[in-house]
Amino acid sequence: MGMVFCRACGKSLHDSAPTCPHCGAPQKLSGGFVVGAGAHRDWLPALMLCLFVGFLGVHRFYVGKIFTGILQLLTLGGLGIWTLIDFIRIAMGSFTNARGERLVSA
């Protein structure tokens, strides 16, 4: 355990701190998940939305990716290919929300 720099303000903080004590920005912890304040989304609801209504882009609306959600809605999930890729990415843990944060596991 040591010291790291805040992702937002650059000030030094302990590497286990969930948020920066100076600016309050959430910090990444081990495992790649971001903790702290913010609109975090669980991966399981996103996975289920992708599985059942992914061709409508509902899972992208759920994580805040409105523009690409509309594109999936208009293209029926890229004729299913885009939806399949999203499903695999959500299941593997590499899918992110609109702020670039990985989806959290409950």
Side-chain angles (χ1 to χ4, degrees):
M1 298 280 173
M3 301 300 279
V4 294
F5 295 103
C6 174
R7 299 172 2 156
C9 70
K11 294 192 178 182
S12 180
L13 58 111
H14 194 268
D15 64 352
S16 66
T19 59
C20 176
H22 305 286
C23 69
Q27 304 297 307
K28 285 193 178 192
L29 297 179
S30 62
F33 294 127
V34 176
V35 296
H40 299 297
R41 298 295 187 192
D42 292 333
W43 70 274
L44 189 58
L47 187 72
M48 294 294 105
L49 287 170
C50 186
L51 178 65
F52 294 112
V53 287
F55 65 96
L56 297 175
V58 176
H59 61 287
R60 288 198 167 253
F61 289 109
Y62 174 73
V63 298
K65 295 181 176 182
I66 306 301
F67 180 72
T68 55
I70 293 171
L71 288 178
Q72 278 199 348
L73 179 64
L74 296 174
T75 64
L76 296 177
L79 298 177
I81 296 170
W82 194 358
T83 303
L84 177 63
I85 292 169
D86 281 355
F87 183 81
I88 293 168
R89 290 185 62 216
I90 294 169
M92 293 180 65
S94 65
F95 196 77
T96 60
N97 66 14
R99 297 186 337 197
E101 303 165 339
R102 289 187 180 170
L103 303 182
V104 295
S105 58

